[in-house]
Amino acid sequence: MMHGKRIAVIMPAYNAQATVAKTFSEIPRDIVDEIVLVDDQSTDRTFEVARSLGMTPIRHTRNTGYGGNQKTCYREALRLGVDVIIMVHPDYQYTPALIPSMASLVAQGVYHCVLGSRILGKQALEGGMPLYKYYFNRVLTFVQNLLVGQKLSEYHTGYRAFAREVLERLPLEDNDNGFLFDNQILAQVIYAGYRIGEVSCPTRYAPDSSSIGLAKSVDYGLGVLRVSAAYRLHRWGLRESALFSPLDRE
């Protein structure tokens, strides 16, 4: 626990056999109450390795996609009754050392959502982020900030902490089951008026780290722009979006 709040780490896993043990070993168990790993029908031994570490992993009977995996992670964390939920990828791209800082900011009510930003601190390229991904990230973030009225350093990190109330309120089940889920949930957090903070996060790109290729990156980028445009049009009342209309009806 931290500041009287129960903490959960969720790990959406796919083919993370080589890195899940290292990631798990660095999770600060003195403050983390629950660890939820969901294996999205990996083709390697991710599930078996996770179980050998003492976890009780959940295994999908079919591959549901990155967003679909997260939905299961969040459902399970909420079922366990925790107050702060932190997503850490088990591919060791993000250091678990930031968990206490991110959890504290949420547990104390400073922010409702905290992002581990690879752009703050100018370490992204030094950490091995491919050049095209770096500039792709910067351009998308610039456009997104204009459309949704924020000043975030990046929207595309997979290292996130949420207050329970945020995840309970957002219509997560209606979001995309693929990579666009990450962007949709942030747009919804912003639309709902929750406070978002950022902490600088070292970047670690390695052969074992997950990544999507150029073609999928372009497809993702176009999807991100559609989400941001939908946000602006919905906010102006010009076109209703199913991403945000459930939040209006509360």
Side-chain angles (χ1 to χ4, degrees):
M1 296 183 72
M2 176 177 279
H3 305 295
K5 306 290 187 180
R6 298 186 70 232
I7 313 296
V9 166
I10 64 165
M11 295 195 288
Y14 181 71
N15 289 348
Q17 170 187 317
T19 53
V20 64
K22 190 170 187 179
T23 305
F24 176 79
S25 70
E26 294 187 12
I27 293 174
R29 301 304 303 277
D30 55 326
I31 67 162
V32 173
D33 300 277
E34 305 282 354
I35 299 176
V36 176
L37 183 142
V38 177
D39 176 43
D40 200 29
Q41 271 290 299
S42 295
T43 57
D44 64 5
R45 300 185 67 257
T46 296
F47 182 82
E48 289 76 15
V49 171
R51 192 163 53 184
S52 73
L53 294 170
M55 287 187 272
T56 306
I58 297 169
R59 189 172 195 175
H60 283 162
T61 56
R62 62 179 180 83
N63 185 278
T64 62
Y66 175 59
N69 193 327
Q70 283 190 64
K71 292 175 186 180
T72 301
C73 286
Y74 292 133
R75 281 197 303 268
E76 180 64 11
L78 292 173
R79 186 190 70 79
L80 292 170
V82 298
D83 305 292
V84 180
I85 298 96
I86 304 174
M87 178 168 70
V88 180
H89 289 181
D91 65 356
Y92 203 62
Q93 187 176 135
Y94 304 102
T95 172
L98 294 181
I99 289 173
S101 299
M102 296 171 70
S104 178
L105 289 169
V106 176
Q108 294 188 86
V110 179
Y111 296 109
H112 298 101
C113 170
V114 175
L115 307 177
S117 171
R118 299 164 296 178
I119 304 302
L120 286 177
K122 300 181 179 181
Q123 299 181 65
L125 293 176
E126 294 177 8
M129 179 182 284
L131 194 62
Y132 82 89
K133 284 184 178 289
Y134 175 80
Y135 286 110
F136 200 56
N137 186 313
R138 304 309 303 126
V139 170
L140 280 178
T141 295
F142 175 77
V143 176
Q144 287 177 269
N145 278 330
L146 289 177
L147 289 173
V148 304
Q150 291 291 307
K151 293 184 178 179
L152 297 178
S153 66
E154 79 157 319
Y155 289 78
H156 315 291
T157 174
Y159 203 176
R160 297 143 178 249
F162 296 98
R164 179 186 184 89
E165 66 179 272
V166 174
L167 297 176
E168 287 182 324
R169 182 182 177 194
L170 301 185
L172 302 183
E173 296 297 332
D174 296 331
N175 287 355
D176 187 69
N177 282 334
F179 288 103
L180 200 57
F181 177 91
D182 270 356
N183 199 253
Q184 290 172 332
I185 191 174
L186 278 189
Q188 290 167 334
V189 167
I190 293 166
Y191 186 83
Y194 291 116
R195 297 185 302 275
I196 302 178
E198 296 181 281
V199 299
S200 179
C201 175
T203 307
R204 293 192 293 215
Y205 273 81
D208 292 325
S209 297
S210 62
S211 185
I212 60 176
L214 179 59
K216 289 186 177 180
S217 293
V218 171
D219 186 58
Y220 166 77
L222 293 174
V224 164
L225 295 177
R226 286 194 295 270
V227 170
S228 299
Y231 174 99
R232 180 47 51 199
L233 292 172
H234 187 91
R235 179 68 79 185
W236 282 342
L238 297 177
R239 180 183 296 174
E240 183 174 330
S241 170
L243 286 174
F244 310 108
S245 54
L247 297 170
D248 293 328
R249 292 192 288 268
E250 293 184 357

